[in-house]
Amino acid sequence: MTDTLFHECGIALVRLRKPLSYYIEKYGTAYAMNKMYILMEKQHNRGQDGAGVANIKIDQQPGFRFISRYRSMKPQPVAHLFKKIGKKFKKAQKEGKEKFKDEQWLKEHVAFSGELWLGHLRYGTHGMNNIENVHPFLRQNNWRSRNLVMAGNFNMTNVDELFNILVDLGQHPKEKVDTITVMEKIGHFLDEEVQSLFKKYKDQYSNREISDIIENEIDLSRVLRRACKDFDGGYTMAGLTGSGSALWFAILRGSALPIFTQDDEVVVVASEKRRSKPPSMSIIIKSRNQTGTCAGHYQKRRVCAAPHPQTAGKDVVQL
């Protein structure tokens, strides 16, 4: 394997660690949106071919949307994205008035008002420049824990092999490109993890109770170990599940180790230009434990480096 990532897409992830009402009272309704905008605008030189952003509302009630996504290929895609989101907030504020400061009303009526954000800036090196190639990508399902949002910066050297693996699993991929094969492979093992937990508890609890148990117990490190074992190439990827977990993982063959930081209010992960020596890393942020602590191997720059997802386990960051 010799492929090195010289031109890099930008990725940013934000996870609020307290209830949304806390930020509304202390900073205003648009706190997370503004933080994500700043993170993406700082990397706008990487978004020459487009940008996208996705948002997850954690513990959203049935009957309401919990995933929002916008993508843009305008000349200033980041500004265009957040102008559209800002218009939704202004309209909701005008129509909702005092309700605009109510957490439950906001999550039920306003897109992009959730606790978990993922942004991507595309620097196209492969594929056509059209909106379908702009990240994040969605893999949707009516079971919340099986939904997957993915964005990345990668160049797989064995796309044909990964495609054939999916076909052998019984899937019918719509394209033979690395973005599709990577997402579908991770999605396949996410489905298997969910199904395994369902079988474990199906004789003990109702289906609705099992859904909550799955979201608490799902082992994303095992999903990554199984999904990534056949990947060959350099990559940095980030993903969100519909239940509100987040993951960031990489084989750093020429690509840069991300900036990772957290405090009592927020977790932030973002692309970094500086080249790094650690060969691999992974970060997992669990959906329910909003006030946990970070455990892992740290370098001086507060970057969390853990083993490749093939061997990652106890060293994966779990918040």
Side-chain angles (χ1 to χ4, degrees), residues 114-132:
E115 300 90 341
L116 184 58
W117 292 73
L118 176 63
H120 184 270
L121 300 99
R122 184 171 190 264
Y123 192 113
T125 55
H126 294 82
M128 298 176 61
N129 281 334
N130 59 50
I131 197 66
E132 294 303 316

Side-chain angles (χ1 to χ4, degrees), residues 83-84 94 140 144 176 193 228 233 240 246 268 298 308:
K83 184 177 181 180
K84 287 178 66 177
K94 182 179 180 180
Q140 295 180 289
R144 191 164 60 183
K176 189 185 287 188
E193 179 72 13
C228 299
L240 316 176
V268 174
Y298 277 81
H308 181 277

Side-chain angles (χ1 to χ4, degrees), residues 12-16 31-33 35-37 39 54-55 114-119 240 246 248 265-269 285:
L13 187 151
V14 170
R15 169 66 153 87
L16 302 183
Y31 170 76
M33 179 184 71
K35 187 168 286 290
M36 175 57 73
Y37 171 71
L39 282 171
N55 178 258
E115 300 90 341
L116 184 58
W117 292 73
L118 176 63
L240 316 176
W248 189 298
E265 296 183 337
V266 67
V267 179
V268 174
V269 192
I285 304 171

Side-chain angles (χ1 to χ4, degrees), residues 12-25:
L13 187 151
V14 170
R15 169 66 153 87
L16 302 183
R17 302 186 70 187
K18 295 180 181 293
L20 196 59
S21 56
Y22 169 89
Y23 306 91
I24 295 172
E25 182 178 347

Side-chain angles (χ1 to χ4, degrees), residues 20 24 29-30 33 55-58 60 64-70 84-97 99-115 117:
L20 196 59
I24 295 172
T29 307
M33 179 184 71
N55 178 258
I56 302 288
K57 298 174 182 178
I58 299 176
Q60 179 71 303
F64 297 95
R65 293 181 178 272
F66 56 92
I67 300 178
S68 304
R69 179 188 64 163
Y70 277 160
K84 287 178 66 177
I85 297 172
K87 284 183 178 180
K88 284 188 172 291
F89 274 62
K90 289 179 181 178
K91 181 180 179 181
Q93 185 175 22
K94 182 179 180 180
E95 295 178 352
K97 299 180 181 178
K99 293 180 181 178
F100 186 67
K101 297 181 180 179
D102 179 77
E103 174 181 354
Q104 193 62 38
W105 185 90
L106 198 68
K107 292 178 72 171
E108 291 178 357
H109 294 86
V110 186
F112 293 96
S113 59
E115 300 90 341
W117 292 73

Side-chain angles (χ1 to χ4, degrees), residues 37 44 54 77 111 116 138 165 185 189 193 220 274 280 299 309:
Y37 171 71
H44 75 270
L116 184 58
L138 299 182
I165 289 173
K185 197 159 188 294
F189 288 106
E193 179 72 13
L220 290 177
R274 191 180 72 86
S280 60
Q299 295 181 336

